[in-house]
Amino acid sequence: MKLLGIYFISSKEFLENAYVLAVLLFIALLLQRTFLQASYYVAIETGINLRGAIQTKIYNKIMRLCTSNMSMGELTVAQICNLVAIDTNQLMWFFFLCPNLWAMPVQ
């Protein structure tokens, strides 16, 4: 369309241009990755904070237990190590991988 000596292109002509489509695709991919990385950061930070809080609670509980409970077989050293190390890491990894629950269908 030409108006007052200036040539304007239609939206159809604009979107048929391969360079424009490539730039739009690049911008969409850049935005997607930026938002995904931001959500990963929040999830990782939350997971680490949760692991630290749970480890602190378990450690405080262990310190309050008397040694007779451990010697009577109610709670072994291996169970305590499992609570402090492995179980809290499993919770942390759950929060690390949570963004994938909503990101996979979108991708």
Side-chain angles (χ1 to χ4, degrees), residues 5-39:
I6 301 172
Y7 180 72
F8 294 97
I9 61 171
S10 68
S11 59
K12 182 181 178 190
E13 291 173 336
F14 180 74
L15 291 177
E16 285 177 350
N17 188 348
Y19 294 115
V20 172
L21 289 178
V23 169
L24 289 176
L25 186 63
F26 177 74
I27 290 171
L29 182 64
L30 191 64
L31 285 174
Q32 177 197 18
R33 286 290 149 189
T34 302
F35 291 136
L36 189 63
Q37 286 303 110
S39 70

Side-chain angles (χ1 to χ4, degrees), residues 29-93:
L29 182 64
L30 191 64
L31 285 174
Q32 177 197 18
R33 286 290 149 189
T34 302
F35 291 136
L36 189 63
Q37 286 303 110
S39 70
Y40 279 148
Y41 174 76
V42 170
I44 288 170
E45 185 179 30
T46 304
I48 290 172
N49 288 338
L50 178 70
R51 183 185 70 178
I54 291 175
Q55 282 179 340
T56 302
K57 286 289 188 184
I58 293 171
Y59 182 73
N60 287 336
K61 178 71 174 182
I62 292 169
M63 296 307 284
R64 280 188 268 129
L65 287 175
C66 66
T67 55
S68 65
N69 286 344
M70 291 180 67
S71 63
M72 292 172 57
E74 291 180 21
L75 199 58
T76 65
V77 175
Q79 288 172 332
I80 293 172
C81 287
N82 188 34
L83 284 174
V84 173
I86 296 171
D87 291 346
T88 55
N89 275 340
Q90 292 296 329
L91 278 171
M92 182 184 67
W93 277 107

Side-chain angles (χ1 to χ4, degrees), residues 87-102:
D87 291 346
T88 55
N89 275 340
Q90 292 296 329
L91 278 171
M92 182 184 67
W93 277 107
F94 173 75
F95 275 93
F96 283 0
L97 300 175
C98 271
N100 290 331
L101 294 175
W102 66 267

